[in-house]
Amino acid sequence: MKIHNLDIEATINRAQKLIIEDQQMSETIESMIDISILVFALLANRLGLNSTNNSKAPSSDSNRKNRKKAARAIRLAGNKAM
């Protein structure tokens, strides 16, 4: 996966390789970095998801923009100003 011309997978692989090669790193720090890399990879994989390429229905997709609600909110805000 690439984001703004950065290859996320290659960067993660390079970081994991460096962690394995570092003999002076404590097991605690290594575990913490491994968990951080895992969380980062999971979040990076979710960046491109929307209701057309995941298993959520459009009505339950929290990332989907609901134009009806947005238009209604604008109308209600306009009526309060009067």
Side-chain angles (χ1 to χ4, degrees):
M1 167 184 255
K2 287 191 174 190
I3 300 173
H4 301 292
N5 296 326
L6 296 173
D7 189 347
I8 301 296
E9 290 179 40
T11 303
I12 290 172
N13 290 338
R14 192 168 48 252
Q16 289 174 327
K17 182 181 175 188
L18 290 171
I19 290 169
I20 291 169
E21 291 174 356
D22 189 345
Q23 298 298 317
Q24 296 179 347
M25 187 180 302
S26 73
E27 288 184 32
T28 304
I29 297 297
E30 186 175 340
S31 295
M32 291 172 58
I33 293 173
D34 284 341
I35 291 170
S36 298
I37 289 173
L38 175 65
V39 170
F40 179 79
L42 292 171
L43 291 173
N45 286 332
R46 290 187 50 90
L47 283 175
L49 292 180
N50 59 40
S51 58
T52 61
N53 61 5
N54 70 19
S55 60
K56 286 191 172 197
S59 60
S60 65
D61 188 358
S62 61
N63 294 323
R64 178 177 161 251
K65 292 182 181 178
N66 191 337
R67 294 182 182 161
K68 289 181 183 177
K69 284 183 182 178
R72 185 169 188 257
I74 292 170
R75 280 196 316 269
L76 290 175
N79 288 340
K80 289 180 182 178
M82 291 181 160

